[in-house]
């Protein structure tokens, strides 16, 4: 099993920045892929970014390209999402997700999920 704990959400004005972190704890193998999704109340979960923990591959949804950066610190078993130039439409609950091997933008390919952290961007 893998447990994921997110931190770093909050309230920020449009144009501001936030940094989300997700720490993974596990008994066996480290997840091979970790990523971020977001979800608004009453809406489907949306892919944001993902990466292989080797750092060889990263993937972003189009709406965040050039503004968000995903990175990993394997020594700390942590993946970080740096979010710059935030917009009101980025307001959502952000979830960290992990997979043993699936490098994907589809949420059903991820086996483990964090509890979510709220990001609110005011206009």
């Amino acid at each position: 099993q893998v447990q994921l704990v997110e931190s770093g959400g909050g309230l920020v004005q449009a144009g501001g920045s936030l940094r989300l972190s997700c720490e993974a704890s596990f008994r066996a193998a480290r997840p091979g892929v970790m990523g971020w999704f977001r979800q608004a109340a009453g809406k489907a979960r949306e892919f944001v970014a993902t990466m292989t923990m080797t750092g060889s591959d990263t993937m972003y949804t189009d709406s965040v390209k050039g503004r968000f950066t995903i990175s990993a610190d394997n020594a700390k078993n942590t993946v970080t999402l740096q979010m710059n130039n935030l917009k009101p439409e980025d307001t959502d609950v952000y979830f960290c997700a992990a997979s043993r091997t699936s490098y994907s933008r589809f949420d059903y390919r991820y086996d483990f999920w964090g509890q979510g952290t709220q990001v609110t961007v005011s206009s």
Side-chain angles (χ1 to χ4, degrees):
Q1 288 294 323
V2 176
Q3 292 184 322
L4 305 174
V5 178
E6 303 108 331
S7 60
L11 172 65
V12 65
Q13 288 187 331
S17 298
L18 282 174
R19 186 180 181 91
L20 304 183
S21 292
C22 175
E23 182 176 1
S25 58
F26 47 91
R27 291 187 176 183
R30 175 189 292 116
V33 177
M34 291 182 69
W36 292 92
F37 290 75
R38 61 189 181 187
Q39 187 172 25
K43 294 188 176 181
R45 196 154 44 191
E46 176 190 20
F47 168 72
V48 178
T50 193
M51 68 179 296
T52 55
M53 293 304 285
T54 61
S56 60
D57 296 285
T58 59
M59 180 173 18
Y60 298 89
T61 193
D62 287 346
S63 63
V64 307
K65 286 180 181 177
R67 300 189 297 123
F68 291 12
T69 303
I70 189 170
S71 61
D73 183 340
N74 283 309
K76 297 181 179 180
N77 299 318
T78 297
V79 67
T80 297
L81 186 68
Q82 177 66 43
M83 306 185 294
N84 298 328
N85 190 22
L86 282 159
K87 303 176 181 181
E89 52 263 42
D90 295 317
T91 295
D92 269 325
V93 178
Y94 284 68
F95 295 89
C96 178
S99 169
R100 295 290 186 199
T101 59
S102 295
Y103 176 65
S104 172
R105 63 175 57 240
F106 299 109
D107 58 358
Y108 63 84
R109 299 298 296 271
Y110 290 79
D111 306 303
F112 309 102
W113 293 86
Q115 80 285 356
T117 185
Q118 177 70 47
V119 171
T120 303
V121 185
S122 62
S123 57

